[in-house]
Amino acid sequence: FFRSMLSAPFYLIYMIAALFMLLGALYDERKDRSVLFWKALPVTDLQTVLAKLVTAAWVAPLVVVACSVVAQIIGLLGITGLIWVRDLGDAWLIWWHSGLLLGAFQLLLGYAIQGLWMLPITGYLLLISVSVPRMALLWALALPIIPIMLEGALFRTSVVSTGIAKHLEPAALPNFLGLDARITPVPSTVTDQLAVLINPDLWIGVVIGAAFLYAAAHVRGISNEL
């Protein structure tokens, strides 16, 4: 619980930052016309889109994990100092049973897998970033409403909304948000996290996300400015 409590704020901050990072990744370069400079470099549009994706989905989480681990170490130091001052026992037992190293590994593994799990979301956001003329956030939130409403009206089902909600969940991360009522199972061990890799929903999402990324690269190739 201690490690989870300290890791949760960094996850929430990362999710908000990643949202704006992805929406602005390709939009801002068109807005300030820097896309013309980047296109002059020997880098393809697909490579550029993938670089933006990797930065948001896998590089940024390294900072999140580092901040989480530092926060946990500071918290343990505080508890250790309290135990020593009040002579409450052997403070080193707190470190021995803290699970600090295992927790750090689980965070690294979780974010690595989570990057794949959220690929349809991140790919979609990059496609919005490169496609819309303005108000990218509004477009990103509004567009999914159309297929959700059509599906509900025509078929009385909720496949689209459930799929979106499912891939927004931290399926590969420890349950530091305390959310038990989830669509995906809550991983508690490394084995549970690795099991996400054999979940068909992950690979269906990867295919959908890859299609979004290819579309984003294509749109970037034919659109140089707002």
Side-chain angles (χ1 to χ4, degrees):
F1 174 78
F2 172 77
R3 288 187 288 109
S4 298
M5 179 182 64
L6 293 176
S7 298
F10 295 105
Y11 170 77
L12 295 174
I13 293 171
Y14 163 69
M15 290 297 290
I16 295 172
L19 170 64
F20 289 99
M21 186 189 307
L22 291 164
L23 285 177
L26 301 172
Y27 173 83
D28 291 340
E29 68 176 15
R30 290 183 296 128
K31 185 177 180 180
D32 59 19
R33 303 289 295 276
S34 63
V35 63
L36 302 177
F37 167 75
W38 294 113
K39 280 181 172 290
L41 299 178
V43 179
T44 67
D45 293 303
L46 182 58
Q47 288 174 326
T48 301
V49 171
L50 291 177
K52 307 285 189 181
L53 169 70
V54 170
T55 300
W58 288 289
V59 176
L62 294 178
V63 179
V64 178
V65 173
C67 291
S68 298
V69 172
V70 169
Q72 292 170 25
I73 292 174
I74 293 174
L76 287 171
L77 287 172
I79 295 174
T80 300
L82 182 63
I83 291 175
W84 281 346
V85 168
R86 299 192 176 184
D87 194 21
L88 298 177
D90 189 354
W92 295 112
L93 290 177
I94 299 294
W95 291 83
W96 181 259
H97 295 289
S98 67
L100 186 63
L101 293 179
L102 177 60
F105 176 75
Q106 282 191 285
L107 284 177
L108 286 171
L109 178 62
Y111 277 110
I113 299 174
Q114 190 68 18
L116 291 174
W117 181 258
M118 292 193 66
L119 197 58
I121 305 298
T122 52
Y124 166 74
L125 292 176
L126 284 171
L127 179 57
I128 291 295
S129 177
V130 77
S131 302
V132 301
R134 58 186 60 86
M135 297 186 294
L137 179 60
L138 181 60
W139 279 99
L141 296 176
L143 282 181
I145 295 177
I146 299 174
I148 290 173
M149 292 181 64
L150 286 176
E151 181 192 4
L154 297 176
F155 306 106
R156 305 296 181 184
T157 57
S158 58
V159 175
V160 176
S161 60
T162 301
I164 294 173
K166 182 184 298 182
H167 285 278
L168 283 172
E169 290 184 343
L173 289 165
N175 189 30
F176 44 65
L177 295 180
L179 300 176
D180 295 322
R182 288 174 28 174
I183 303 172
T184 55
V186 178
S188 57
T189 65
V190 172
T191 302
D192 293 337
Q193 292 178 287
L194 292 174
V196 178
L197 291 173
I198 60 174
N199 188 330
D201 287 329
L202 181 142
W203 297 108
I204 293 172
V206 167
V207 172
I208 295 173
F212 283 140
L213 293 173
Y214 179 82
H218 176 71
V219 174
R220 186 178 188 273
I222 62 177
S223 177
N224 292 336
E225 54 185 271
L226 290 171

